[in-house]
Amino acid sequence: MTQNGSAAPTDRRRRRTDAPRYAVLVVTSILFFAPVAYMAAASLAPASRTLAGFEVFDPRGWGLHNYTGVASSLSSDSTGHLWRFFFVSFTVTVSVVGLGLIVNSMAAFALSRLRWRGKELVLLGILLLLIVPFEAVAVPMFYLYNDARNTLWIQIAPFVGNALSIFLFYSFFSGIPRSIDEAARMDGAGPLRVFWQIIAPMSKPAYASVAVLTFLTQWGAFLWPVLMISEPNLRPLPLQISVFAGQLPPAWGEVMAFGVLLVVPVVVVFLVFQRWFIEGVASSAVKG
């Protein structure tokens, strides 16, 4: 009786303590989800209700007319083709993610698992790069790569190496016991074999979290394409949606539909890798 009696007040106190936290989480979730929900509803609503506030959530009159309008508006060489914008964004993003996972993880492996002179200085330089915003180097990069404008590779090559990705891999790799490396070397394994057959398979959460973060960043890249891309059929989706929204008169329903098309791949990627992403970020934070 004494134990049950003491447990009940403890549970009530815990519920009272947790209630404000859950309330904050619910309110925060609504604030973040509301714009996305409004955009999705407005993309289906008739043009007369696109900017009519809560009336867009009235399902009467909903349809795919805004989506077909986007497809028909972007179907010529002068405006560019919608499928081409998706192709450019997917090609650039997948290339940056794929190449970045290889390059950045190998760099982090060298920094965290190998012994070589000057690696502390290199690591310090990578940490310093984390505080340098891209806007600070965009103009020098523009003059450096000006001769390669309007190409796919110019949207890929400068972003394969990433300081944040290297740091996340470094933090995760540093938490793996070094005795694993030593045992593998005693069996005759070299550094590359240790990396590919031991460290990389053990680091799936780190790879997933870096892949998701890189995908989010690259899929929404805007400033660099603005500087380097003027050819319509080489525009990624974020640049094209800004051009599309600037047309007069603006068709806001079609702009909302275009926004949904831009957001859907990000949501799908996050849902697929959600578990590994959260696990990888948490592990990197704790081990770092």
Side-chain angles (χ1 to χ4, degrees):
M1 293 295 293
T2 304
Q3 292 179 351
N4 293 336
S6 60
T10 301
D11 292 339
R12 286 195 294 270
R13 286 195 298 270
R14 184 181 296 111
R15 286 195 292 269
R16 287 195 298 267
T17 304
D18 292 342
R21 301 175 184 174
Y22 286 120
V24 171
L25 289 175
V26 170
V27 173
T28 304
S29 300
I30 292 174
L31 291 176
F32 278 95
F33 181 72
V36 178
Y38 187 95
M39 180 177 65
S43 70
L44 299 170
S48 59
R49 297 212 311 263
T50 302
L51 301 179
F54 288 102
E55 292 184 19
V56 299
F57 295 102
D58 184 355
R60 292 175 296 180
W62 277 11
L64 299 177
H65 48 279
N66 289 321
Y67 293 91
T68 57
V70 173
S72 61
S73 298
L74 302 174
S75 58
S76 65
D77 292 336
S78 60
T79 60
H81 298 268
L82 182 61
W83 68 266
R84 180 70 181 180
F85 302 134
F86 271 96
F87 172 78
V88 170
S89 286
F90 272 110
T91 301
V92 171
T93 302
V94 171
S95 299
V96 171
V97 171
L99 295 174
L101 289 178
I102 297 173
V103 171
N104 296 317
S105 63
M106 293 184 72
F109 174 79
L111 288 169
S112 62
R113 317 295 292 188
L114 302 181
R115 294 187 179 93
W116 47 280
R117 183 177 299 177
K119 73 173 186 178
E120 291 80 7
L121 186 61
V122 173
L123 179 60
L124 177 61
I126 291 173
L127 294 176
L128 292 176
L129 286 176
L130 291 175
I131 65 175
V132 178
F134 175 71
E135 291 78 6
V137 297
V139 174
M141 288 177 61
F142 169 77
Y143 285 106
L144 180 64
Y145 295 112
N146 189 46
D147 294 336
R149 297 180 64 208
N150 291 314
T151 58
L152 278 177
W153 82 266
I154 197 59
Q155 302 183 61
I156 299 172
F159 304 101
V160 172
N162 184 275
L164 177 60
S165 299
I166 295 175
F167 178 72
L168 290 176
F169 277 124
Y170 174 85
S171 299
F172 195 92
F173 293 166
S174 297
I176 299 176
R178 292 185 177 273
S179 58
I180 297 176
D181 302 38
E182 296 172 358
R185 291 194 179 96
M186 290 179 64
D187 291 337
L192 285 178
R193 185 179 174 186
V194 171
F195 173 72
W196 288 114
Q197 296 186 4
I198 299 176
I199 301 300
M202 295 177 61
S203 307
K204 291 180 180 179
Y207 279 91
S209 60
V210 171
V212 172
L213 289 174
T214 306
F215 187 94
L216 293 175
T217 302
Q218 196 60 41
W219 185 261
F222 178 75
L223 177 58
W224 186 245
V226 166
L227 295 174
M228 303 302 294
I229 304 299
S230 58
E231 178 67 29
N233 278 322
L234 287 174
R235 293 172 185 161
L237 286 168
L239 176 57
Q240 179 56 34
I241 195 174
S242 69
V243 175
F244 189 79
Q247 296 177 347
L248 297 175
W252 292 114
E254 295 182 4
V255 173
M256 297 293 183
F258 204 154
V260 172
L261 295 175
L262 178 63
V263 168
V264 165
V266 175
V267 175
V268 171
V269 168
F270 181 79
L271 291 177
V272 171
F273 294 98
Q274 178 183 14
R275 180 175 63 86
W276 282 353
F277 171 73
I278 295 174
E279 182 181 345
V281 172
S283 299
S284 296
V286 173
K287 294 175 182 178

